[in-house]
Amino acid sequence: MIRVLLVDDHAVVRRGLRAFVETEPELVVIGEAGDGVQALELLRQWQTLGEPLPDVVLMDLRMPRMDGTEATERIADGYPGVHVVVLTSFGEVERVHTALAVGAAGYLLKDAEPAEVAAAIRAAASGEVHLDSAVAGQLVRRISAPRIGLTALTAREREILALVAEGHPNRKIAERLVISERTARTHVSNVLSKLQLSSRTQAALFAIREGLIPPPS
């Protein structure tokens, strides 16, 4: 039996996923959460009580309080036996790439057919990676296409760059974006690497030059 936790901030989506999952006799939904914070709390409770943890988490990427990328990273760090399959829309390729980088075991489009949902769950539970073919093609094209300047950054990374340029340390960035300090540090490192910059000062000058923030008065 493969145990599944559903994480999505929309109850109607969770109901649909539960209906999909429970059509398969070897799959069972053991819980639901409305965001990453609630998902992690459920995992902590189950672990404390000595109850079996889910084998697979179906995780939405866009959620309040804690998004799917942050939750995926924390699950990968704290619960290595729990595999995360992220749920995405076709236009969220950059988020998918980040989620895979922090430990996701695959991803599905939200309009995936029941058979594909079941296949992704089985693959993740077996330690394999499931990639939706439509998004995989777009992801490969995005990765292989050369990009420079601000176009090389995701929306979250541009947000990080602006906060760095405003002088915020990683701890403050983490507080502002409700992410871990480690994740903030990783984002800052990625921004500097993508822009081929060697310091936060250079990042600040770059952000001003590109009009991301106004110059100091």
Side-chain angles (χ1 to χ4, degrees), residues 167-208:
H168 298 290
N170 292 340
R171 180 174 56 82
K172 290 296 184 182
I173 291 173
E175 291 174 359
R176 286 278 295 271
L177 300 181
V178 197
I179 58 177
S180 70
E181 187 171 349
R182 178 182 136 180
T183 298
R185 185 168 58 250
T186 298
H187 279 309
V188 171
S189 177
N190 288 342
V191 167
L192 294 177
S193 176
K194 285 184 177 183
L195 297 178
Q196 298 183 337
L197 302 174
S198 60
S199 70
R200 299 170 81 98
T201 300
Q202 288 185 355
L205 293 173
F206 177 89
I208 293 170

Side-chain angles (χ1 to χ4, degrees), residues 41-200:
E41 181 58 33
L42 280 175
L43 291 173
R44 281 192 292 268
Q45 288 177 5
W46 288 331
Q47 188 174 63
T48 300
L49 295 173
E51 297 181 6
L53 297 178
D55 300 295
V56 177
V57 178
L58 290 183
M59 178 82 71
D60 187 20
L61 286 180
R62 290 180 177 268
M63 295 181 293
R65 295 205 298 174
M66 181 188 294
D67 67 14
T69 302
E70 172 77 2
T72 295
E73 182 177 21
R74 294 196 183 193
I75 290 172
D77 286 346
Y79 306 92
V82 179
H83 306 286
V84 178
V85 174
V86 298
L87 299 168
T88 181
S89 62
F90 191 73
E92 294 180 328
V93 173
E94 293 291 358
R95 287 174 176 265
V96 169
H97 184 254
T98 304
L100 290 173
V102 299
Y107 54 86
L108 283 169
L109 288 175
K110 284 192 172 183
D111 59 357
E113 295 295 325
E116 188 170 8
V117 174
I121 292 171
R122 293 192 191 96
S126 300
E128 301 171 1
V129 175
H130 179 91
L131 306 176
D132 180 276
S133 58
V135 180
Q138 191 182 21
L139 182 61
V140 169
R141 288 191 295 274
R142 288 284 188 90
I143 293 172
S144 60
R147 293 177 295 169
I148 59 174
L150 286 178
T151 60
L153 305 182
T154 65
R156 172 49 63 92
E157 286 169 345
R158 287 193 291 272
E159 191 174 11
I160 293 284
L161 174 59
L163 291 172
V164 168
E166 289 170 358
H168 298 290
N170 292 340
R171 180 174 56 82
K172 290 296 184 182
I173 291 173
E175 291 174 359
R176 286 278 295 271
L177 300 181
V178 197
I179 58 177
S180 70
E181 187 171 349
R182 178 182 136 180
T183 298
R185 185 168 58 250
T186 298
H187 279 309
V188 171
S189 177
N190 288 342
V191 167
L192 294 177
S193 176
K194 285 184 177 183
L195 297 178
Q196 298 183 337
L197 302 174
S198 60
S199 70
R200 299 170 81 98

